[in-house]
Amino acid sequence: GSPVELGCEAEGHPLPLLSWFREGSVLKEEPVSTGLKLVLPRVQPDDTGTYSCVAENRHGRHNRSLHLSVA
């Protein structure tokens, strides 16, 4: 039931589109220069899974993933 905040930052020119995914589904995406936060206000066991942040512009794509386990 506690909140969890996941952060993602990327730099690039042109400005990259940052996206948060969970198990392949888009949760949030925005073209931002400062970073993109994903807030899970009250995590539950159903929130367990792999979360990925993807930064993409015309020059390429980069991602990072994490696995969140909720007991």
Side-chain angles (χ1 to χ4, degrees):
S2 298
V4 170
E5 184 177 292
L6 306 176
C8 182
E9 295 181 10
E11 296 178 3
H13 186 72
L15 191 64
L17 175 68
L18 293 179
S19 306
W20 273 108
F21 292 86
R22 178 177 176 229
E23 310 294 341
S25 297
V26 177
L27 301 175
K28 186 175 185 179
E29 64 181 8
E30 294 177 19
V32 292
S33 60
T34 57
L36 183 62
K37 292 181 182 178
L38 178 66
V39 177
L40 306 173
R42 295 183 52 141
V43 293
Q44 302 295 323
D46 287 348
D47 294 314
T48 294
T50 300
Y51 291 79
S52 301
C53 179
V54 176
E56 184 172 18
N57 67 14
R58 68 175 180 239
H59 299 294
R61 177 183 173 120
H62 191 72
N63 66 31
R64 288 280 191 247
S65 296
L66 64 93
H67 185 79
L68 177 68
S69 295
V70 182

